[in-house]
Amino acid sequence: MRPPTAATSTGATVILIDEAHIAWPDMSNARQQILKFIATVAPNERVGIYTMTAMGFRVLQEITTDHAQLTATLNKWMPTAQ
C-alpha cells in the first residue's frame, strides 16, 4: 500500500466530548447538536467521536465515513455520571 500523497490525503473532523466538565442537562443538548452536525456533513467527510473523562480519553467511534454508524453510536452512548 502506498503512503498517502497530498492529492489523496484527506482530513478528518474529530469531535471531543468533555464528560468531566459539562453539566448533565447540557449533555443532552450537546448530543442533539452533534447529531445535527453529523447530518449536515458531506457523505465522504471523515468524522470520529471521542470522549474525555477525569480518567482519560475514550474512543466512541473511530474516524469513519459511515455517518449512520456515528449516529447509532452517539445515540447508544451513555455519558458517565460525574
Side-chain angles (χ1 to χ4, degrees):
M1 187 166 154
R2 295 184 339 206
T5 64
T8 61
S9 179
T10 61
T13 299
V14 173
I15 299 170
L16 176 62
I17 304 167
D18 185 355
E19 294 182 62
H21 298 100
I22 188 169
W24 186 262
D26 294 335
M27 189 63 72
S28 177
N29 183 45
R31 182 193 319 246
Q32 292 307 313
Q33 295 304 315
I34 295 167
L35 288 168
K36 284 181 184 179
F37 169 77
I38 291 170
T40 65
V41 297
N44 62 344
E45 174 106 18
R46 298 169 60 225
V47 180
I49 305 174
Y50 304 83
T51 67
M52 181 175 68
T53 67
M55 303 298 289
F57 293 93
R58 179 171 64 147
V59 176
L60 278 186
Q61 179 64 54
E62 287 286 356
I63 294 172
T64 182
T65 57
D66 186 347
H67 299 165
Q69 180 62 44
L70 289 164
T71 299
T73 298
L74 194 57
N75 281 324
K76 287 189 294 186
W77 170 61
M78 178 56 70
T80 336
Q82 298 289 325

